[in-house]
């Protein structure tokens, strides 16, 4: 008898969870996945995420606070991107944040003072966490600021990057941990390695033509940009699958996708590409920072980090 009771309880819980998730997803996806931060002593400003054109955020993902997404970013289910403690967090164009990835950072402001030790710099601007363009953050990986990940880098499944900088075109293989060091561009961290001293980081092997994962990131970017396009329903498609290249100004692959979209698109989901502004906490003071657009530039207007904008 007890066996049947246990089975009945299990089935009941499964049905309840299923309908609960379905009901939750129907309550306005933009409001559930994009949220402002709450005001605190270490982050008194209220900020909402800024989402670049063509970026997709799954309804089961969370993006909170001062987070700036570039174009065609793919954020998968159960990913958490929290700009509610350390901020701002910048994520570059065509980057993918896969299932259950965590992006967070230590506080960057407290008791009226900027916490400089918890900031990284890129092109003269300071961030709690900086993720470059065309970066892949694979399933269950964590990047915790202060940290910086350069363009075209692959962070493997269940890898950890904390208080560290990873150079451009690098690979952190699955399960590796990189803490408190700088990894040079074009190098890789072997699977399961624990790198905690700069001497260890300086001895990491360079990526050579024979390295097994040398072109892995190209394929992952190719897949995830199309997933973002597809989930948005904008009809984009890659004309060819070749190495992902960075260009100044317009992006050739985005332009190709836009040309295809013009002839094939039949439906849109503007609530994601142009999200409804998140609602501020009742009684809270609105942010004093200037509005930010994906291409925002300018001169800082306050001593707080990130006041100049994201510069996607």
């Amino acid at each position: 008898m007890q066996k049947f009771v246990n089975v009945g309880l299990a089935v009941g819980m499964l049905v309840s969870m299923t309908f609960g998730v379905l009901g939750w997803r129907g309550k306005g996806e933009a409001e559930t996945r994009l949220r402002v931060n709450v005001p605190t002593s270490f982050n008194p400003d209220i900020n909402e995420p800024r989402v670049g054109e063509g970026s997709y955020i799954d309804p089961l993902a969370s993006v909170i606070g001062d987070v700036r997404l570039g174009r065609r970013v793919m954020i998968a289910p159960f990913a958490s991107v929290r700009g509610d403690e350390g901020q701002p967090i910048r994520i570059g164009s065509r980057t993918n944040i896969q299932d259950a990835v965590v992006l967070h950072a230590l506080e960057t402001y407290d008791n009226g003072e900027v916490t400089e030790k918890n900031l990284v710099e890129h092109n003269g601007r300071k961030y709690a966490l900086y993720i470059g363009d065309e970066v892949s953050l694979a399933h269950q990986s964590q990047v915790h600021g202060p940290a910086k990940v350069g363009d075209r880098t692959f962070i493997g499944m269940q890898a950890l990057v904390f208080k560290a900088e990873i150079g451009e075109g690098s690979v952190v293989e699955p399960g590796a941990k990189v803490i408190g060091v700088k990894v040079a561009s074009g190098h890789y961290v072997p699977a399961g390695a624990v790198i905690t001293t700069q001497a260890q980081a300086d001895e990491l092997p360079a990526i050579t033509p024979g390295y097994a994962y040398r072109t892995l990131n190209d394929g992952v970017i190719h897949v995830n940009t199309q997933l973002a396009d597809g989930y948005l329903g904008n009809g984009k498609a890659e004309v060819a699958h070749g190495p992902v290249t960075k260009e100044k100004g317009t992006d050739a692959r985005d332009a190709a996708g836009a040309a295809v979209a013009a002839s094939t698109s039949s439906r849109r989901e503007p609530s994601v590409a142009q999200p409804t502004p998140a609602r501020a906490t009742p009684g809270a003071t609105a942010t004093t920072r200037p509005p930010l657009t994906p291409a925002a530039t300018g001169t800082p207007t306050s001593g707080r980090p990130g006041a100049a904008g994201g510069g996607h």
Side-chain angles (χ1 to χ4, degrees), residues 9-287:
L9 287 173
V11 172
M13 290 178 62
L14 180 60
V15 171
S16 177
M17 290 173 63
T18 300
F19 281 99
V21 169
L22 290 175
W24 175 71
R25 289 183 66 160
K27 289 183 179 178
E29 293 178 355
E31 285 77 10
T32 56
R33 58 189 158 186
L34 294 171
R35 287 179 280 164
V36 299
N37 59 284
V38 296
T40 61
S41 65
F42 52 82
N43 189 0
D45 291 346
I46 297 176
N47 294 280
E48 64 182 79
R50 307 291 181 174
V51 181
E53 181 182 1
S55 291
Y56 174 78
I57 304 168
D58 188 89
L60 296 180
S62 293
V63 181
I64 302 171
D66 196 350
V67 177
R68 308 160 187 196
L69 304 182
R71 295 175 297 148
R72 297 181 77 190
V73 172
M74 167 69 187
I75 301 185
F78 303 109
S80 175
V81 185
R82 288 175 46 209
D84 56 2
E85 183 179 348
Q87 41 77 42
I89 293 175
R90 188 271 190 184
I91 297 165
S93 294
R94 297 172 301 283
T95 284
N96 59 90
I97 301 170
Q98 298 178 20
D99 312 76
V101 166
V102 174
L103 300 180
H104 195 234
L106 299 177
E107 69 275 12
T108 50
Y109 183 83
D110 203 9
N111 296 321
E113 299 290 336
V114 174
T115 310
E116 293 286 347
K117 67 178 182 179
N118 290 340
L119 292 166
V120 296
E121 186 172 324
H122 181 80
N123 288 343
R125 296 177 180 167
K126 293 181 179 180
Y127 302 89
L129 178 57
Y130 179 91
I131 307 292
D133 297 339
E134 296 168 354
V135 170
S136 293
L137 303 174
H139 317 285
Q140 297 184 322
S141 61
Q142 298 183 47
V143 182
H144 200 290
K148 179 179 177 180
V149 178
D151 299 343
R152 302 178 302 281
T153 288
F154 180 86
I155 307 295
M157 290 73 82
Q158 297 186 332
L160 169 67
V161 176
F162 177 47
K163 289 188 175 182
E165 296 188 17
I166 311 296
E168 295 184 3
S170 297
V171 174
V172 178
E173 294 184 3
K177 294 176 174 58
V178 183
I179 303 170
V181 301
K182 294 184 179 181
V183 175
S185 297
H187 286 68
Y188 71 91
V189 183
V194 178
I195 308 299
T196 58
T197 69
Q198 193 57 45
Q200 290 176 307
D202 293 341
E203 294 177 358
L204 289 170
I207 293 175
T208 64
Y211 175 58
Y213 304 124
R214 184 175 63 87
T215 61
L216 174 63
N217 194 56
D218 291 341
V220 177
I221 297 297
H222 169 72
V223 166
N224 280 276
T225 50
Q226 290 198 54
L227 286 175
D229 296 339
Y231 284 124
L232 285 174
N234 63 13
K236 283 186 181 179
E238 299 290 340
V239 174
H241 180 197
V244 180
T245 57
K246 229 187 132 184
E247 301 178 24
K248 294 183 179 179
T250 59
D251 184 284
R253 298 184 73 181
D254 284 352
V260 176
S263 61
T264 62
S265 178
S266 60
R267 57 191 176 93
R268 302 271 175 182
E269 188 178 85
S271 62
V272 178
Q274 300 294 332
T276 302
R279 294 186 293 271
T281 305
T285 304
T287 179

Side-chain angles (χ1 to χ4, degrees), residues 287-301:
T287 179
T288 57
R289 295 181 193 168
L292 179 71
T293 62
T297 57
T299 304
T301 57

